[in-house]
Amino acid sequence: MTLQEIAKLVDGNILGKAEITITGVTNLDNATASDISFAVEPHISQGETCNAGAVIIPDNVEQYGKPAIRVANPRAAFTKLLELFTPPLKIKREVHSTVVIGENVTIGNNVAIMPYVVIADDAIVGDNVILYPHTYVGQNATIAEDSVIYPNVTIREYCRVGKRVIIHSGTVIGSDGFGFITEQGKHSKVPQVGNVVLEDDVEIGANVGIDRATTGSTIIKQGTKVDNLVHLAHNVVIGENGLICSQTGIAGSTKVGNNVTFAGQCGSVGHINIGDNCVFVARSAPIGNVPAGSYYGGFPARPHKEWLRNEAAANKAVELVKKVRDLEKRLAQLENKN
Amino acid sequence: MTLQEIAKLVDGNILGKAEITITGVTNLDNATASDISFAVEPHISQGETCNAGAVIIPDNVEQYGKPAIRVANPRAAFTKLLELFTPPLKIKREVHSTVVIGENVTIGNNVAIMPYVVIADDAIVGDNVILYPHTYVGQNATIAEDSVIYPNVTIREYCRVGKRVIIHSGTVIGSDGFGFITEQGKHSKVPQVGNVVLEDDVEIGANVGIDRATTGSTIIKQGTKVDNLVHLAHNVVIGENGLICSQTGIAGSTKVGNNVTFAGQCGSVGHINIGDNCVFVARSAPIGNVPAGSYYGGFPARPHKEWLRNEAAANKAVELVKKVRDLEKRLAQLENKN
Amino acid sequence: MTLQEIAKLVDGNILGKAEITITGVTNLDNATASDISFAVEPHISQGETCNAGAVIIPDNVEQYGKPAIRVANPRAAFTKLLELFTPPLKIKREVHSTVVIGENVTIGNNVAIMPYVVIADDAIVGDNVILYPHTYVGQNATIAEDSVIYPNVTIREYCRVGKRVIIHSGTVIGSDGFGFITEQGKHSKVPQVGNVVLEDDVEIGANVGIDRATTGSTIIKQGTKVDNLVHLAHNVVIGENGLICSQTGIAGSTKVGNNVTFAGQCGSVGHINIGDNCVFVARSAPIGNVPAGSYYGGFPARPHKEWLRNEAAANKAVELVKKVRDLEKRLAQLENKN
């Protein structure tokens, strides 16, 4: 494809030679003369000196040291090209002969159900669903249209997976919540008879654990994306369009609003309410209700500025100890004089 | 079932109408007029205004705004009803035709071994055991009576699983301990030839990793419950009736006493001893031996009160810095005067 | 085997009776009179009083309370004996009849491919490779000679596994990186079309997640060992001979040098460079570039001594608050006098 043709596809305008030929799409570090890459600040000048044949850049760049396409959103344009240039995997639309299907199971059209998938009684698999090998779909579970479940995923009984959901390998949907009654030091299991509901357009990373509710549902609302190794406990509700980054853990019954971000390795106590549009920076963990629109850091999580200011002051503790010791001496001298 | 009948079952007495009919058991938020729910403080008044037909409450409540059953332990009564009202899953007591069984394997009576389970040579599976699909049982591993192993679990060679043990999906029992000899910057593997022993009535959550001992055994003693995504390293010993909450990690050779609780996201260094009846609050991590009966917080973990007091003081760091600066100025003025 | 024979094998010299017979190798706690164990400081005197028949000790020990073998490196000698005394597992060198193999797959000699493994189109499996049950090898993935993949591992399309690599159960190689474009509060997936490269002699623990690169490769260089439940994000590069301990998470595009150790529960922000020979103590997390040879602690991670000093001072916060209050009073009195 010529740079001219690519520029049309991404609705951009060209700076430099339009006739060069592009055969691949990759990042600045790996790009060769036949690749196109993209650069946004602070990497725009690195784009000029890299080996790429051309670079997609923001439309406010006036001059550039190599052929470029200027667009409003370079990352979005790059994403479009990635989809275009990447050869799709070969997916056979069939139910493989080794798939074990229970009684009264409903399977939609145009599905790809790969070797050794097991689908238990009364489950429903919608149209166009792709189930990779070794996936388990429990009794009465449902997976709606266009969802993709990668290998070695477990979806336990009665759980509901929405449309266009992606679940990565090793993830467990609907394991029992961690609920016990303790009498005389011994723990008896509280039956966990609820389920998990993943709404439409949810994506769940690898080796995540989402526990079924004790009663009712643990719910991940539409458009929310969950990263690897996250723990979501029983009866948690995560609102729409959230981002829950890797290794975060949310304890039981906590309700999280819409458009909330937890950065990596965050936590939360159970039984609290977190409002819409909150952001928790890496490793923070709220221990009480959080109002909508909060930008929080630290453990216990508090307003980010306050946390940073306090951390900065606390990091002067060595100096502070010395100063106080010095003040004590000088004050004692003065007191003696007086 | 009428409220009267339910009251008998849970050994409670009725406040209000005894003849109403109950068809389901669920939490306060999800309950409808035909459901029974339960409420303890601080949710007792919420129970009065919820949609449930009846509520199980503590026996010291004198008056209530809707039909209720008063019992000594509402949670325990509710658990009993959950078991009663929940339709059990259909489990076929059979060894599915696709199960691959090695040489010299012993399999008990009344088992349910589901599709694509693999049981290696010399393994033993006890009576009434349920193995869900895609479970792997390694050479010489044993699983005692009445245990339930959910899909996609790996139990490696020589590991021993006790009676009535529950292991949730994705969990790995007996992966190699993280042991290496480093010479001239290169790491050589130390063979990990011990095993893991899960004693009776242990429950292990989803996507947990419990490493086999270098030699000897990594041991989880009877009645201990382990939550999702926990890491227990080689030669760790966890005492009886412990609670190890989600995302906690215990490093190698640490010995934990009986009835110890680690809340979420705790850690522990290796090679220490933690006494009986200790509690570690969320995110705490001991770095040395801990005496029995300790209630600890923080990193390094220390007595909880001491930790809280210090955190409170440290959170005044900004103010403290200002005060010290002010003191310095005023003292300098005084010194000049004198 | 007599102690004499064992001494020859490990190139050591004997202290005490050389004719005793040894039939097992284990740790000090579990050893009986027919076992040999090993002891280094601070456990050398414990070795004298344990039940072992003999103990391997450092060659600078002059006298010992029981038969012993003195060697330069007791741990290495012990490792040698572990390999010798441990009966190997029975591994059938065959492709099991239930293995599903796609089109155009290349499989080497002397492999052991166990029940229900699925190998997708165009994959390559080298000589002597062992694939345990329920492993999935994706399209165009390659696994080089002598590697061992434990049960329930997922290796996604185009990923490359080097020679003598070990991957423990439940681990996912090549899940999609966590990359989205957010427009008007909604997250669209950025295709993750790169792969993961595990170089020779890498070992990966249980239930680890290593994401494929957006473009290019996520790389773990030769000899690096990764513990359980670690998260390595897209486009991360870990240098040679690293040790990444349990539950550590490294965010996207961070480049880590050679011989770097992350102790347990560490973190790192994305897009930074960490030099060679760095050590991060447990729970530390760098938030900016780190020069080679650094020994860091804390969050944000900083030089370990500085961190410890500051922690020690910060832990006097309660006392400091009191002292400042006292100073304020006394100074006010003096000011009044003057």
Side-chain angles (χ1 to χ4, degrees):
Chain A
M1 222 179 262
T2 64
L3 199 58
Q4 184 72 63
E5 290 168 320
I6 292 174
K8 258 185 211 165
L9 275 169
V10 299
D11 204 13
N13 62 72
I14 291 182
L15 216 54
K17 270 202 230 171
E19 330 66 83
I20 63 166
T21 302
I22 296 298
T23 63
V25 181
T26 192
N27 55 53
L28 294 175
D29 286 348
N30 292 44
T32 65
S34 59
D35 290 325
I36 190 164
S37 191
F38 86 103
V40 291
E41 283 303 357
H43 302 293
I44 290 177
S45 65
Q46 188 196 337
E48 291 183 288
T49 58
C50 79
N51 294 322
V55 179
I56 302 173
I57 53 177
D59 53 14
N60 59 359
V61 177
E62 305 269 312
Q63 288 200 321
Y64 209 61
K66 68 171 53 179
I69 298 176
R70 300 188 303 177
V71 297
N73 186 339
R75 196 181 296 269
F78 183 72
T79 295
K80 203 168 183 182
L81 293 184
L82 278 180
E83 281 162 2
L84 210 91
F85 274 79
T86 305
L89 291 175
K90 293 177 274 178
I91 305 281
K92 282 187 195 149
R93 296 290 164 170
E94 61 169 24
V95 177
H96 192 268
S97 62
T98 61
V99 173
V100 172
I101 299 179
E103 292 167 19
N104 194 31
V105 167
T106 306
I107 293 185
N109 296 315
N110 196 39
V111 298
I113 308 191
M114 299 195 193
Y116 303 129
V117 167
V118 174
I119 304 176
D121 297 351
D122 305 301
I124 299 174
V125 176
D127 294 345
N128 309 314
V129 165
I130 300 174
L131 302 180
Y132 274 83
H134 311 123
T135 286
Y136 173 77
V137 180
Q139 287 177 31
N140 289 84
T142 66
I143 302 176
E145 298 94 274
D146 303 303
S147 288
V148 178
I149 315 293
Y150 282 103
N152 291 311
V153 166
T154 299
I155 298 168
R156 287 264 307 271
E157 64 273 10
Y158 291 96
C159 291
R160 286 165 47 200
V161 174
K163 297 175 190 172
R164 296 173 301 280
V165 167
I166 299 171
I167 305 178
H168 288 280
S169 292
T171 281
V172 179
I173 306 296
S175 38
D176 288 356
F178 197 63
F180 303 92
I181 290 175
T182 302
E183 289 177 312
Q184 293 160 345
K186 292 197 179 180
H187 313 297
S188 313
K189 188 171 178 67
V190 175
Q192 304 289 310
V193 306
N195 70 349
V196 174
V197 175
L198 305 181
E199 292 187 354
D200 298 344
D201 299 301
V202 161
E203 181 166 348
I204 310 285
N207 284 331
V208 168
I210 306 182
D211 282 350
R212 63 195 313 108
T214 309
T215 58
S217 298
T218 304
I219 305 173
I220 317 298
K221 293 193 181 165
Q222 59 184 4
T224 283
K225 315 297 184 184
V226 175
D227 200 356
N228 298 348
L229 292 159
V230 165
H231 164 69
L232 301 175
H234 46 181
N235 292 87
V236 161
V237 176
I238 308 284
E240 300 178 4
N241 300 314
L243 291 174
I244 315 289
C245 295
S246 181
Q247 297 178 320
T248 289
I250 311 286
S253 298
T254 282
K255 313 295 179 211
V256 177
N258 297 331
N259 286 89
V260 170
T261 296
F262 285 92
Q265 301 185 329
C266 282
S268 173
V269 295
H271 296 274
I272 64 170
N273 291 299
I274 294 171
D276 294 343
N277 302 309
C278 289
V279 174
F280 296 89
V281 305
R283 295 192 151 195
S284 56
I287 63 165
N289 293 338
V290 178
S294 298
Y295 186 64
Y296 267 35
F299 170 57
R302 69 208 90 153
H304 187 251
K305 268 189 194 163
E306 185 187 319
W307 171 62
L308 275 191
R309 232 183 347 235
N310 196 74
E311 288 293 292
N315 279 334
K316 290 178 188 150
V318 173
E319 198 189 327
L320 213 57
V321 167
K322 273 188 209 151
K323 280 185 175 173
V324 168
R325 205 177 295 143
D326 177 58
L327 282 170
E328 284 175 323
K329 259 191 226 161
R330 286 159 55 193
L331 187 58
Q333 285 175 344
L334 266 190
E335 286 170 333
N336 285 339
K337 268 200 194 172
N338 284 262
Chain B
M1 221 178 263
T2 65
L3 200 58
Q4 184 71 63
E5 291 168 318
I6 291 174
K8 259 185 212 166
L9 274 170
V10 299
D11 205 11
N13 60 73
I14 290 183
L15 217 55
K17 271 202 231 171
E19 332 63 84
I20 64 166
T21 302
I22 295 297
T23 62
V25 181
T26 192
N27 55 53
L28 295 176
D29 286 349
N30 292 42
T32 65
S34 59
D35 290 324
I36 190 163
S37 191
F38 86 105
V40 291
E41 284 301 0
H43 302 293
I44 290 177
S45 64
Q46 189 195 336
E48 292 184 285
T49 57
C50 79
N51 295 323
V55 179
I56 303 173
I57 52 176
D59 51 15
N60 59 358
V61 176
E62 305 269 314
Q63 288 199 321
Y64 208 62
K66 69 171 54 180
I69 299 175
R70 298 188 302 177
V71 297
N73 186 338
R75 196 182 295 270
F78 183 72
T79 294
K80 204 170 182 182
L81 294 184
L82 278 180
E83 281 161 2
L84 211 90
F85 275 78
T86 306
L89 290 175
K90 295 177 274 178
I91 304 281
K92 283 186 195 149
R93 295 290 164 171
E94 62 168 25
V95 178
H96 192 269
S97 62
T98 60
V99 173
V100 173
I101 299 178
E103 293 167 18
N104 195 32
V105 167
T106 305
I107 293 185
N109 295 315
N110 196 41
V111 298
I113 308 191
M114 299 194 193
Y116 303 129
V117 166
V118 174
I119 305 176
D121 298 349
D122 305 302
I124 299 173
V125 175
D127 294 346
N128 309 315
V129 165
I130 300 174
L131 301 181
Y132 274 83
H134 311 123
T135 286
Y136 172 79
V137 180
Q139 288 178 31
N140 290 86
T142 68
I143 302 176
E145 298 94 274
D146 303 303
S147 288
V148 178
I149 315 294
Y150 282 102
N152 291 311
V153 166
T154 300
I155 298 168
R156 286 267 305 271
E157 64 274 11
Y158 292 96
C159 290
R160 287 166 45 201
V161 174
K163 296 173 190 172
R164 298 173 299 280
V165 167
I166 300 171
I167 305 178
H168 288 281
S169 292
T171 280
V172 179
I173 307 295
S175 39
D176 289 356
F178 197 64
F180 302 92
I181 290 174
T182 303
E183 289 175 314
Q184 293 160 344
K186 293 198 177 178
H187 313 297
S188 314
K189 188 172 179 65
V190 175
Q192 304 289 312
V193 306
N195 71 349
V196 174
V197 175
L198 305 181
E199 292 188 354
D200 297 345
D201 299 301
V202 161
E203 181 166 348
I204 309 286
N207 283 332
V208 169
I210 305 182
D211 282 349
R212 64 198 309 110
T214 308
T215 59
S217 298
T218 304
I219 304 173
I220 316 299
K221 292 193 180 163
Q222 58 183 5
T224 283
K225 315 297 184 184
V226 175
D227 200 357
N228 298 348
L229 292 160
V230 166
H231 164 70
L232 301 174
H234 47 182
N235 292 87
V236 161
V237 176
I238 308 284
E240 298 177 4
N241 299 314
L243 291 174
I244 316 289
C245 296
S246 180
Q247 297 179 319
T248 289
I250 311 285
S253 298
T254 282
K255 313 295 179 210
V256 177
N258 296 331
N259 285 88
V260 170
T261 297
F262 284 92
Q265 301 186 329
C266 282
S268 173
V269 295
H271 297 274
I272 64 170
N273 291 299
I274 294 171
D276 293 344
N277 301 310
C278 289
V279 173
F280 296 89
V281 305
R283 295 194 151 194
S284 57
I287 64 165
N289 293 337
V290 178
S294 298
Y295 186 65
Y296 267 35
F299 171 57
R302 69 207 91 152
H304 188 250
K305 269 188 194 165
E306 185 186 319
W307 172 63
L308 276 191
R309 231 181 348 233
N310 196 75
E311 289 293 293
N315 280 333
K316 292 178 187 151
V318 172
E319 199 188 326
L320 212 57
V321 167
K322 272 188 210 151
K323 280 185 176 172
V324 168
R325 205 175 296 142
D326 177 58
L327 282 170
E328 283 175 324
K329 259 191 227 160
R330 284 159 56 195
L331 187 58
Q333 285 176 342
L334 265 189
E335 286 170 335
N336 284 339
K337 270 201 194 172
N338 283 261
Chain C
M1 221 179 261
T2 65
L3 200 59
Q4 185 71 64
E5 290 168 320
I6 292 174
K8 257 184 212 164
L9 275 170
V10 299
D11 205 13
N13 60 74
I14 291 181
L15 218 54
K17 271 202 230 171
E19 327 69 81
I20 63 166
T21 302
I22 295 297
T23 62
V25 181
T26 191
N27 55 54
L28 295 176
D29 286 348
N30 292 42
T32 65
S34 60
D35 290 325
I36 190 164
S37 190
F38 87 103
V40 292
E41 284 301 1
H43 303 293
I44 289 177
S45 64
Q46 188 196 339
E48 291 183 287
T49 58
C50 79
N51 295 322
V55 180
I56 303 174
I57 52 177
D59 52 14
N60 60 357
V61 176
E62 305 269 313
Q63 288 199 321
Y64 208 63
K66 69 170 54 180
I69 298 176
R70 299 188 303 178
V71 297
N73 186 337
R75 195 182 295 270
F78 183 73
T79 294
K80 204 170 182 180
L81 294 183
L82 278 180
E83 281 162 2
L84 211 90
F85 276 77
T86 305
L89 290 175
K90 293 176 277 178
I91 304 281
K92 282 187 194 147
R93 295 291 164 169
E94 61 169 26
V95 177
H96 192 269
S97 63
T98 60
V99 174
V100 172
I101 299 179
E103 292 166 20
N104 194 32
V105 167
T106 305
I107 293 184
N109 296 314
N110 197 41
V111 297
I113 308 191
M114 299 194 192
Y116 302 128
V117 167
V118 174
I119 305 176
D121 298 349
D122 306 301
I124 299 173
V125 176
D127 294 346
N128 310 314
V129 164
I130 299 174
L131 301 181
Y132 274 83
H134 311 123
T135 286
Y136 172 78
V137 181
Q139 287 177 31
N140 290 86
T142 67
I143 302 176
E145 297 94 274
D146 303 304
S147 288
V148 178
I149 315 295
Y150 282 102
N152 290 311
V153 166
T154 300
I155 298 169
R156 287 265 306 271
E157 65 272 12
Y158 292 97
C159 290
R160 286 165 47 200
V161 175
K163 297 174 190 172
R164 298 173 300 279
V165 167
I166 299 170
I167 305 179
H168 287 282
S169 291
T171 281
V172 179
I173 306 295
S175 38
D176 288 356
F178 197 64
F180 301 91
I181 290 175
T182 302
E183 289 175 314
Q184 292 160 345
K186 294 198 177 179
H187 313 297
S188 315
K189 189 171 177 65
V190 175
Q192 304 290 310
V193 305
N195 70 349
V196 174
V197 175
L198 306 181
E199 292 188 354
D200 298 344
D201 299 300
V202 162
E203 181 166 346
I204 309 286
N207 282 333
V208 169
I210 306 183
D211 282 349
R212 63 195 313 108
T214 309
T215 58
S217 298
T218 303
I219 304 172
I220 317 297
K221 292 193 180 165
Q222 60 183 3
T224 283
K225 314 298 185 185
V226 175
D227 201 356
N228 298 348
L229 291 160
V230 165
H231 164 69
L232 301 174
H234 46 181
N235 292 88
V236 160
V237 177
I238 308 283
E240 299 178 4
N241 300 314
L243 291 174
I244 315 290
C245 295
S246 180
Q247 296 177 320
T248 289
I250 311 285
S253 298
T254 282
K255 312 297 179 209
V256 176
N258 297 331
N259 286 89
V260 170
T261 296
F262 285 92
Q265 300 184 329
C266 282
S268 173
V269 295
H271 296 275
I272 65 171
N273 292 298
I274 294 171
D276 294 343
N277 302 309
C278 289
V279 173
F280 296 88
V281 305
R283 296 193 150 195
S284 56
I287 62 165
N289 293 337
V290 178
S294 298
Y295 186 64
Y296 267 34
F299 170 57
R302 67 208 93 152
H304 187 251
K305 269 189 196 165
E306 184 186 319
W307 172 62
L308 276 192
R309 231 181 349 233
N310 196 75
E311 289 294 291
N315 280 334
K316 291 179 188 149
V318 174
E319 198 188 327
L320 213 57
V321 167
K322 274 188 210 151
K323 280 185 175 172
V324 168
R325 205 175 295 142
D326 178 58
L327 282 171
E328 284 175 324
K329 261 192 226 160
R330 285 160 57 194
L331 188 58
Q333 286 176 341
L334 265 190
E335 286 170 335
N336 284 340
K337 269 201 194 173
N338 284 260

